[in-house]
Amino acid sequence: MMRPVALAILVAAPWSLWAKLSPLAPPPDWSRLEDFHESITRDEFVDQLDRVFAPGGAWREWIEIRDDRAVVRTGSKPLELRFAAGVKKPAPRFWKARGEFAPTPGKPLAGVHIALDPGHLGGRWSRLEERWFRIGKSKPVVEGDLTLSVARLLAARLREAGARVTLTRSGSDPATPLRPSKLAGEAASSLREKNLPATPVAIAKEAERLFYRAAEIRARASRLNSKTRPDLVLCLHFNAEPWGNPDRPVLTEKNHIHFLVTGAWSAEELAFEDQRFDMLRKLLGGTHSEETAVTLRLADSMNRATGLAPFVYRGSNAVAIAGRNDIWARNLLANRLFDCPVVYAEPYVMNSREVHARIQAGDYEGTRMVAGRKRPSIFREYADSLAEGLIAYYGGR
Ligand SMILES: [Zn+2]
């Protein structure tokens, strides 16, 4: 009677190792990747892994490359993905690339559906999500409120140019029905996974983090992929340097800009079955070239408007794209879960002296003397330069 049980444990051990999941991630449906048979050549597949998605050989433990197929370790039976030999089969997708829109005179964005994702929640959640600071009695700096202001201005510009625009949120209400109080169990297992002590204080903190960083982003992505189905997602953020105590923040002279596309999975991240699946879904979905092409236009336009220096990554968590030092691939939940091309904007250091003064000045029309120079409001500079970049990209077809 004992033998079959022991055998089952032996067989289950390696599979359970390969079936490790990120917090709140559902087990992936690997059969969805069957749609991508013969949609990519062997050389293209390996090149994308090496250059963008899993540089430094991070994929080698999980994917075996044969002449005619890739064999991917999953939580159960391996996935065998056949490469294209001659004519490639089209990869299934709901989004359209730039060349697929019919030009409409005077409406450069006609037919293009753009989703704007104002980063974070803001409002009453801003202290909990650690996107809040205040200097003395000045106006608090709340990233989630700043990104929403930019999204509203940008939406109006894009609609004038003929685009259909959807915002992932219109206020500070979360898209997820989950709340930190419901996530204690998940938080405890997440801490155990990271070999951290699961004290009540640590569990409460981790539950909050899972709420705003995992549950909320998963809820936005699921709605976006199933209902909104846009041609492009633009994730809007403001960057920051470490500010320490939010009631006595550290100000800095540093101010910079960068853009992110999807990629740069590490070997450790690929040990999670859902991340392995997400990486392959993004790679096979063919979004990379579109993400890069549109980001080049957005970066050029915004660099011209802001004059900001690029933020350069020094670690291995990012890889430079298109030979640029202001466009990087990174593996973030908020880009890997969206099925269409995603661009992530990270301009302005909120706790730099200059940006803080510009945020205090608020939104206004035209130009004003702020932080020693006549300039537009930071919200309009952000929104207008992105709108110009999008118009240059889609309008240039
Ligand atoms: Zn942010």
Side-chain angles (χ1 to χ4, degrees):
M1 284 299 284
M2 288 305 288
R3 281 180 76 113
V5 176
L7 194 68
I9 289 167
L10 274 177
V11 172
W15 281 356
S16 61
L17 194 69
W18 303 338
K20 183 167 86 158
L21 294 173
S22 313
L24 304 181
D29 174 7
W30 287 95
S31 71
R32 281 180 60 198
L33 300 189
E34 301 279 349
D35 293 342
F36 295 94
H37 282 306
E38 292 157 45
S39 66
I40 189 166
T41 67
R42 182 183 189 273
D43 287 355
E44 285 167 344
F45 185 77
V46 174
D47 174 66
Q48 293 261 304
L49 285 174
D50 282 339
R51 213 165 34 78
V52 179
F53 287 91
W59 54 273
R60 289 184 184 277
E61 192 181 332
W62 308 103
I63 304 173
E64 180 198 339
I65 303 291
R66 296 189 189 155
D67 283 346
D68 64 338
R69 65 193 60 212
V71 181
V72 183
R73 279 195 197 176
T74 75
S76 55
K77 136 176 145 1
L79 172 86
E80 301 211 1
L81 182 86
R82 293 191 305 277
F83 295 131
V87 180
K88 287 191 273 184
K89 291 196 178 146
R93 57 177 161 92
F94 57 73
W95 54 273
K96 290 213 273 294
R98 177 177 94 142
E100 296 168 315
F101 298 99
T104 305
K107 293 283 178 195
L109 299 181
V112 186
H113 184 183
I114 297 167
L116 302 178
D117 183 30
H120 315 289
L121 289 164
R124 68 190 185 98
W125 302 104
S126 59
R127 291 203 74 151
L128 179 145
E129 63 182 357
E130 298 179 354
R131 290 297 185 283
W132 183 102
F133 71 82
R134 178 161 68 176
I135 300 172
K137 294 260 177 277
S138 67
K139 197 163 37 175
V141 173
V142 178
E143 187 184 351
D145 295 352
L146 301 175
T147 58
L148 185 57
S149 300
V150 172
R152 288 188 178 132
L153 288 166
L154 179 54
R157 300 282 186 281
L158 301 178
R159 287 180 184 129
E160 279 165 33
R164 182 176 158 208
V165 183
T166 305
L167 268 62
T168 59
R169 66 180 174 95
S170 53
S172 58
D173 289 338
T176 175
L178 292 171
R179 292 294 178 270
S181 59
K182 295 184 189 165
L183 290 164
E186 288 278 352
S189 28
S190 166
L191 290 168
R192 276 196 299 274
E193 166 68 40
K194 291 187 272 193
N195 287 322
L196 293 171
T199 63
V201 173
I203 290 175
K205 196 82 193 148
E206 183 70 358
E208 289 179 356
R209 208 185 62 86
L210 290 179
F211 158 68
Y212 64 77
R213 197 170 281 178
E216 175 59 16
I217 290 169
R218 287 190 180 281
R220 288 186 201 183
S222 136
R223 190 168 26 178
L224 206 110
N225 290 336
S226 63
K227 295 200 176 76
T228 317
R229 298 161 82 90
D231 300 305
L232 176 72
V233 182
L234 215 47
C235 299
L236 306 171
H237 288 258
F238 283 73
N239 212 337
E241 292 284 336
W243 62 54
N245 180 345
D247 291 303
R248 297 177 60 88
V250 175
L251 285 185
T252 172
E253 299 305 323
K254 287 183 197 161
N255 197 8
H256 44 66
I257 184 170
H258 72 284
F259 288 81
L260 296 168
V261 299
T262 318
W265 267 259
S266 68
E268 292 74 28
E269 289 165 342
L270 289 173
F272 291 90
E273 187 188 1
D274 57 299
Q275 296 220 36
R276 224 142 65 226
F277 176 82
D278 291 341
M279 181 194 75
L280 286 164
R281 213 187 72 254
K282 282 303 277 186
L283 188 161
L284 296 167
T287 51
H288 178 70
S289 55
E290 188 71 13
E291 279 181 6
T292 304
V294 67
T295 307
L296 284 166
R297 287 303 183 93
L298 294 174
D300 286 346
S301 173
M302 204 161 189
N303 288 342
R304 237 185 347 261
T306 66
L308 289 172
F311 173 79
V312 176
Y313 282 86
R314 303 289 175 200
S316 59
N317 63 334
V319 52
I321 293 296
R324 304 264 298 219
N325 58 5
D326 57 348
I327 305 178
W328 299 83
R330 267 188 77 186
N331 169 24
L332 304 170
L333 197 61
N335 58 18
R336 73 166 184 259
L337 291 185
F338 296 124
D339 283 339
C340 58
V342 185
V343 180
Y344 208 97
E346 281 282 7
Y348 307 116
V349 171
M350 291 183 287
N351 58 326
S352 74
R353 276 173 221 288
E354 183 182 301
V355 172
H356 185 258
R358 296 186 72 184
I359 291 168
Q360 295 302 309
D363 184 32
Y364 49 85
E365 287 184 35
T367 54
R368 273 190 206 170
M369 268 308 267
V370 177
R373 197 146 62 77
K374 258 191 129 172
R375 34 174 133 223
S377 90
I378 194 166
F379 304 97
R380 283 167 203 243
E381 184 177 270
Y382 194 153
D384 290 351
S385 58
L386 284 186
E388 278 163 29
L390 288 170
I391 289 168
Y393 180 65
Y394 289 104
R397 63 187 183 258

Short mmCIF file of all heavy atoms in Angstrom, two decimals, residues 126-142 205 241-251 351 356:
data_model
loop_
_atom_site.label_atom_id
_atom_site.label_comp_id
_atom_site.label_asym_id
_atom_site.label_seq_id
_atom_site.Cartn_x
_atom_site.Cartn_y
_atom_site.Cartn_z
N SER A 126 -2.95 56.74 -0.79
CA SER A 126 -1.60 57.16 -1.18
C SER A 126 -0.54 56.95 -0.10
O SER A 126 0.60 56.66 -0.41
CB SER A 126 -1.60 58.61 -1.65
OG SER A 126 -2.06 59.44 -0.61
N ARG A 127 -0.92 57.08 1.18
CA ARG A 127 0.09 56.85 2.24
C ARG A 127 0.36 55.36 2.35
O ARG A 127 1.51 54.94 2.50
CB ARG A 127 -0.39 57.41 3.59
CG ARG A 127 -0.44 58.92 3.58
CD ARG A 127 -0.36 59.50 4.97
NE ARG A 127 1.00 59.41 5.49
CZ ARG A 127 1.52 60.27 6.36
NH1 ARG A 127 0.82 61.28 6.81
NH2 ARG A 127 2.75 60.12 6.80
N LEU A 128 -0.71 54.56 2.27
CA LEU A 128 -0.55 53.10 2.35
C LEU A 128 0.33 52.58 1.21
O LEU A 128 1.18 51.73 1.39
CB LEU A 128 -1.95 52.47 2.32
CG LEU A 128 -2.09 50.96 2.35
CD1 LEU A 128 -3.34 50.58 3.14
CD2 LEU A 128 -2.18 50.36 0.96
N GLU A 129 0.13 53.11 0.00
CA GLU A 129 0.93 52.63 -1.14
C GLU A 129 2.29 53.33 -1.23
O GLU A 129 3.02 53.14 -2.20
CB GLU A 129 0.14 52.75 -2.46
CG GLU A 129 -0.21 54.18 -2.85
CD GLU A 129 -1.04 54.29 -4.14
OE1 GLU A 129 -1.31 53.28 -4.80
OE2 GLU A 129 -1.41 55.43 -4.48
N GLU A 130 2.62 54.13 -0.21
CA GLU A 130 3.93 54.80 -0.09
C GLU A 130 4.24 55.68 -1.29
O GLU A 130 5.36 55.71 -1.79
CB GLU A 130 5.04 53.77 0.18
CG GLU A 130 4.81 53.02 1.48
CD GLU A 130 5.84 51.96 1.81
OE1 GLU A 130 6.71 51.69 0.98
OE2 GLU A 130 5.76 51.41 2.93
N ARG A 131 3.19 56.37 -1.77
CA ARG A 131 3.36 57.32 -2.87
C ARG A 131 2.86 58.69 -2.42
O ARG A 131 2.08 59.35 -3.10
CB ARG A 131 2.58 56.83 -4.12
CG ARG A 131 3.18 55.60 -4.78
CD ARG A 131 4.57 55.88 -5.29
NE ARG A 131 5.17 54.77 -6.04
CZ ARG A 131 5.69 53.68 -5.52
NH1 ARG A 131 5.70 53.50 -4.21
NH2 ARG A 131 6.23 52.74 -6.29
N TRP A 132 3.27 59.11 -1.24
CA TRP A 132 2.82 60.35 -0.59
C TRP A 132 3.98 60.93 0.20
O TRP A 132 4.67 60.22 0.90
CB TRP A 132 1.69 60.00 0.37
CG TRP A 132 1.04 61.16 1.09
CD1 TRP A 132 -0.16 61.72 0.79
CD2 TRP A 132 1.51 61.86 2.27
NE1 TRP A 132 -0.46 62.73 1.68
CE2 TRP A 132 0.56 62.84 2.61
CE3 TRP A 132 2.65 61.77 3.06
CZ2 TRP A 132 0.69 63.71 3.68
CZ3 TRP A 132 2.81 62.64 4.15
CH2 TRP A 132 1.83 63.60 4.45
N PHE A 133 4.24 62.24 0.06
CA PHE A 133 5.11 62.94 1.01
C PHE A 133 4.70 64.39 1.07
O PHE A 133 3.99 64.90 0.20
CB PHE A 133 6.60 62.77 0.66
CG PHE A 133 7.07 63.51 -0.58
CD1 PHE A 133 7.41 64.86 -0.52
CD2 PHE A 133 7.20 62.84 -1.78
CE1 PHE A 133 7.88 65.53 -1.65
CE2 PHE A 133 7.66 63.51 -2.92
CZ PHE A 133 7.99 64.85 -2.86
N ARG A 134 5.13 65.05 2.12
CA ARG A 134 4.79 66.46 2.28
C ARG A 134 5.91 67.20 2.98
O ARG A 134 6.48 66.70 3.95
CB ARG A 134 3.50 66.63 3.09
CG ARG A 134 3.16 68.10 3.31
CD ARG A 134 1.73 68.33 3.68
NE ARG A 134 1.45 67.80 5.00
CZ ARG A 134 0.28 67.93 5.60
NH1 ARG A 134 -0.72 68.55 5.00
NH2 ARG A 134 0.09 67.44 6.80
N ILE A 135 6.21 68.39 2.47
CA ILE A 135 7.23 69.23 3.11
C ILE A 135 6.50 70.28 3.93
O ILE A 135 5.78 71.11 3.36
CB ILE A 135 8.13 69.89 2.06
CG1 ILE A 135 8.84 68.80 1.25
CG2 ILE A 135 9.14 70.82 2.73
CD1 ILE A 135 9.61 69.33 0.08
N GLY A 136 6.66 70.22 5.24
CA GLY A 136 6.03 71.20 6.14
C GLY A 136 4.53 71.29 5.89
O GLY A 136 3.84 70.28 5.91
N LYS A 137 4.06 72.51 5.63
CA LYS A 137 2.61 72.70 5.44
C LYS A 137 2.26 72.79 3.94
O LYS A 137 1.15 73.19 3.57
CB LYS A 137 2.15 73.99 6.14
CG LYS A 137 2.27 73.96 7.65
CD LYS A 137 0.92 73.67 8.30
CE LYS A 137 1.01 73.55 9.82
NZ LYS A 137 1.43 72.21 10.27
N SER A 138 3.24 72.45 3.07
CA SER A 138 2.96 72.57 1.62
C SER A 138 1.98 71.49 1.18
O SER A 138 1.64 70.57 1.93
CB SER A 138 4.27 72.46 0.84
OG SER A 138 4.80 71.16 0.97
N LYS A 139 1.55 71.61 -0.08
CA LYS A 139 0.60 70.66 -0.66
C LYS A 139 1.26 69.27 -0.71
O LYS A 139 2.38 69.14 -1.20
CB LYS A 139 0.29 71.14 -2.08
CG LYS A 139 -0.93 70.54 -2.70
CD LYS A 139 -1.45 71.32 -3.91
CE LYS A 139 -0.42 71.93 -4.85
NZ LYS A 139 -0.98 72.55 -6.05
N PRO A 140 0.60 68.19 -0.20
CA PRO A 140 1.22 66.87 -0.27
C PRO A 140 1.46 66.46 -1.72
O PRO A 140 0.69 66.82 -2.61
CB PRO A 140 0.19 65.93 0.36
CG PRO A 140 -0.75 66.82 1.10
CD PRO A 140 -0.73 68.15 0.42
N VAL A 141 2.52 65.74 -1.96
CA VAL A 141 2.82 65.20 -3.28
C VAL A 141 2.30 63.77 -3.31
O VAL A 141 2.73 62.92 -2.53
CB VAL A 141 4.34 65.25 -3.56
CG1 VAL A 141 4.66 64.54 -4.87
CG2 VAL A 141 4.81 66.70 -3.60
N VAL A 142 1.33 63.51 -4.18
CA VAL A 142 0.64 62.22 -4.24
C VAL A 142 0.76 61.68 -5.66
O VAL A 142 0.09 62.19 -6.58
CB VAL A 142 -0.86 62.40 -3.86
CG1 VAL A 142 -1.61 61.08 -3.96
CG2 VAL A 142 -0.99 63.00 -2.47
N LYS A 205 1.88 44.42 6.69
CA LYS A 205 2.60 45.23 5.69
C LYS A 205 2.61 44.53 4.32
O LYS A 205 2.37 45.16 3.29
CB LYS A 205 4.05 45.44 6.20
CG LYS A 205 4.80 46.53 5.53
CD LYS A 205 4.44 47.88 6.14
CE LYS A 205 4.95 49.03 5.28
NZ LYS A 205 4.08 50.20 5.34
N GLU A 241 13.45 59.69 -6.11
CA GLU A 241 14.64 59.17 -5.44
C GLU A 241 14.18 58.89 -4.01
O GLU A 241 13.19 59.45 -3.55
CB GLU A 241 15.75 60.24 -5.47
CG GLU A 241 16.32 60.52 -6.86
CD GLU A 241 17.27 59.42 -7.35
OE1 GLU A 241 17.83 58.70 -6.51
OE2 GLU A 241 17.42 59.29 -8.59
N PRO A 242 14.89 58.00 -3.30
CA PRO A 242 14.45 57.68 -1.92
C PRO A 242 14.24 58.97 -1.12
O PRO A 242 15.11 59.84 -1.12
CB PRO A 242 15.61 56.85 -1.37
CG PRO A 242 16.29 56.28 -2.57
CD PRO A 242 16.12 57.29 -3.67
N TRP A 243 13.06 59.08 -0.48
CA TRP A 243 12.78 60.32 0.25
C TRP A 243 12.75 60.12 1.76
O TRP A 243 12.57 61.08 2.50
CB TRP A 243 11.51 60.99 -0.26
CG TRP A 243 10.23 60.22 -0.11
CD1 TRP A 243 9.71 59.67 1.03
CD2 TRP A 243 9.27 59.96 -1.16
NE1 TRP A 243 8.50 59.07 0.76
CE2 TRP A 243 8.20 59.25 -0.57
CE3 TRP A 243 9.20 60.29 -2.51
CZ2 TRP A 243 7.08 58.82 -1.31
CZ3 TRP A 243 8.08 59.87 -3.23
CH2 TRP A 243 7.06 59.14 -2.64
N GLY A 244 12.90 58.89 2.24
CA GLY A 244 12.95 58.67 3.69
C GLY A 244 11.59 58.90 4.33
O GLY A 244 10.58 58.48 3.80
N ASN A 245 11.59 59.59 5.45
CA ASN A 245 10.36 59.86 6.19
C ASN A 245 9.41 60.74 5.35
O ASN A 245 9.78 61.85 4.97
CB ASN A 245 10.74 60.58 7.50
CG ASN A 245 9.53 60.91 8.35
OD1 ASN A 245 8.40 60.87 7.88
ND2 ASN A 245 9.79 61.24 9.60
N PRO A 246 8.19 60.25 5.04
CA PRO A 246 7.30 61.04 4.16
C PRO A 246 6.86 62.37 4.77
O PRO A 246 6.42 63.26 4.04
CB PRO A 246 6.09 60.11 3.96
CG PRO A 246 6.15 59.11 5.04
CD PRO A 246 7.60 58.96 5.42
N ASP A 247 6.99 62.52 6.10
CA ASP A 247 6.64 63.80 6.73
C ASP A 247 7.84 64.74 6.82
O ASP A 247 7.69 65.90 7.15
CB ASP A 247 6.05 63.56 8.12
CG ASP A 247 4.68 62.89 8.01
OD1 ASP A 247 3.80 63.46 7.35
OD2 ASP A 247 4.51 61.78 8.56
N ARG A 248 9.03 64.21 6.57
CA ARG A 248 10.25 65.04 6.52
C ARG A 248 11.11 64.54 5.37
O ARG A 248 12.22 64.05 5.57
CB ARG A 248 11.04 64.94 7.84
CG ARG A 248 10.29 65.45 9.06
CD ARG A 248 11.14 65.22 10.32
NE ARG A 248 12.42 65.93 10.24
CZ ARG A 248 12.61 67.18 10.63
NH1 ARG A 248 11.60 67.87 11.13
NH2 ARG A 248 13.79 67.75 10.53
N PRO A 249 10.60 64.65 4.13
CA PRO A 249 11.27 64.01 2.99
C PRO A 249 12.60 64.66 2.64
O PRO A 249 12.80 65.84 2.85
CB PRO A 249 10.27 64.20 1.85
CG PRO A 249 9.52 65.42 2.23
CD PRO A 249 9.42 65.41 3.72
N VAL A 250 13.48 63.85 2.07
CA VAL A 250 14.76 64.33 1.57
C VAL A 250 14.53 64.90 0.17
O VAL A 250 13.94 64.22 -0.68
CB VAL A 250 15.77 63.15 1.49
CG1 VAL A 250 17.08 63.60 0.86
CG2 VAL A 250 15.97 62.53 2.86
N LEU A 251 14.98 66.13 -0.07
CA LEU A 251 14.91 66.69 -1.43
C LEU A 251 16.26 66.49 -2.12
O LEU A 251 17.29 66.40 -1.47
CB LEU A 251 14.57 68.18 -1.38
CG LEU A 251 13.11 68.52 -1.06
CD1 LEU A 251 12.89 70.01 -1.18
CD2 LEU A 251 12.14 67.78 -1.96
N ASN A 351 10.67 64.25 -5.83
CA ASN A 351 11.30 64.92 -4.69
C ASN A 351 12.57 65.67 -5.09
O ASN A 351 13.43 65.92 -4.25
CB ASN A 351 11.57 63.94 -3.53
CG ASN A 351 12.45 62.77 -3.93
OD1 ASN A 351 12.37 62.29 -5.06
ND2 ASN A 351 13.28 62.32 -3.02
N HIS A 356 9.40 69.47 -7.37
CA HIS A 356 8.53 69.79 -6.23
C HIS A 356 7.92 71.18 -6.39
O HIS A 356 6.72 71.37 -6.19
CB HIS A 356 9.31 69.68 -4.91
CG HIS A 356 8.43 69.88 -3.72
ND1 HIS A 356 8.39 71.06 -3.03
CD2 HIS A 356 7.51 69.07 -3.15
CE1 HIS A 356 7.49 70.96 -2.06
NE2 HIS A 356 6.94 69.75 -2.11
#
